[in-house]
């Protein structure tokens, strides 16, 4: 029996990331959210791509980014 994989990817704009450490901090906080399967943070563009098993609550994403010390400015 095979299960289908349903994932949703969303790209967010995050301000304040300037280096690899910033990317790691944001990735770590977002990976901890329930349902998140992957996170790709790019400091150069400020974009963070989050893939999850279901669409994420924007406020939960904002809180995780805030916890990392950065600011979520919206979806791309």
């Amino acid at each position: 029996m095979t299960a289908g994989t349903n994932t949703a990817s969303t790209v967010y704009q995050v301000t304040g990331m300037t280096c690899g450490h910033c990317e790691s901090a944001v990735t770590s906080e977002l990976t901890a959210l329930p349902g998140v399967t992957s996170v790709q943070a790019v400091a150069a563009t400020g974009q963070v791509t989050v893939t999850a098993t279901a669409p994420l609550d924007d406020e939960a994403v904002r809180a995780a980014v805030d916890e990392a010390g950065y600011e979520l400015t919206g979806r791309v």
Side-chain angles (χ1 to χ4, degrees), residues 27 29-39 49-54 56 61:
T27 298
E29 289 296 332
L30 290 172
T31 301
L33 292 176
V36 172
T37 57
S38 73
V39 176
T49 303
V50 181
T51 303
T53 55
L56 296 172
V61 174

Side-chain angles (χ1 to χ4, degrees), residues 8 12 20-22 32 49 60 76:
Y12 297 95
H21 177 268
C22 300
T49 303
V76 175

Side-chain angles (χ1 to χ4, degrees), residues 13-19 22-23 26 43 46 65 68-73:
Q13 192 67 43
V14 175
T15 58
M17 293 191 304
T18 58
C19 64
C22 300
E23 293 170 349
V26 169
V65 170
Y70 305 94
E71 182 183 357
L72 177 72
T73 57

